[in-house]
Amino acid sequence: MKLESQFIALIAELDGQVGEPAPTDHFVTMTEEALLARLDPIERAIMGSPAQTITGLSVKARDLPRVRSEYSKGPIDQTGWEGRAVRVLVEAICEVARVPLRI
């Protein structure tokens, strides 16, 4: 649960930085890079820990679209077979866990 809350907080912070007007593009890049550096060990711990509950599985599932964004962009009918399979599985896990896919 602790990893989940850290993951959600950092993703929300990262989403808040993306597209936000800043004095320079360099500033945005540095800020995003710093957030990604903080997120990396949390993601590694999430992926390295066994999912023993549906909540644990949903944390892993919600990380996948961020890591493989090509599977979550655009209409599903315009996504390749592999992308569709991953996307449908992730959506199903989140639905069963009753958590939003988008953090």
Side-chain angles (χ1 to χ4, degrees), residues 16-68:
Q17 293 296 319
V18 175
E20 186 175 293
T24 66
D25 287 342
H26 183 67
F27 173 79
V28 172
T29 301
M30 286 176 52
T31 303
E32 289 174 3
E33 285 180 9
L35 288 169
L36 290 170
R38 288 174 42 209
L39 182 61
D40 183 64
I42 294 167
E43 285 180 312
R44 289 180 186 278
I46 288 168
M47 291 304 164
S49 302
Q52 298 177 338
T53 65
I54 190 66
T55 300
L57 184 59
S58 74
V59 173
K60 291 178 182 283
R62 288 186 287 168
D63 188 37
L64 189 57
R66 199 196 71 71
V67 175
R68 297 299 300 250

